[in-house]
Amino acid sequence: MAIVVNLDVMMAKRKMSLNELSEKVDITLANLSILKTGKARAVRFSTLEAICKVLECQPGDILEYVAD
């Protein structure tokens, strides 16, 4: 896939666990895990906005395009 999810990198930079992010963003741990592993087929802008707010980052810090 050409879109790489760097959520784990941003979480590590902010020293935040998946459980903590899940609680702050109000998204299930399972859905957040699917997003983190890059297995998600879509992400809502509202979810992306909430993640960026909590992690104090930009969407480009989480999502990256890599040519095949």
Side-chain angles (χ1 to χ4, degrees):
M1 181 182 278
I3 302 296
V4 176
V5 180
N6 294 315
L7 184 57
D8 53 342
V9 174
M10 287 308 300
M11 289 171 50
K13 286 182 179 179
R14 302 297 188 254
K15 296 181 178 149
M16 189 173 294
S17 70
L18 198 61
N19 287 329
E20 186 179 355
L21 183 60
S22 171
E23 290 174 9
K24 290 185 176 189
V25 175
D26 194 29
I27 185 173
T28 66
L29 191 57
N31 285 337
L32 194 57
S33 181
I34 289 168
L35 180 60
K36 186 182 129 206
T37 58
K39 294 180 182 178
R41 304 305 285 157
V43 61
R44 293 176 191 236
F45 281 155
S46 58
T47 301
L48 186 58
E49 178 183 2
I51 291 171
C52 288
K53 185 176 181 179
V54 169
L55 293 177
E56 298 177 352
C57 66
Q58 294 295 314
D61 296 328
I62 296 172
L63 302 175
E64 177 184 5
Y65 171 76
V66 178
D68 287 337

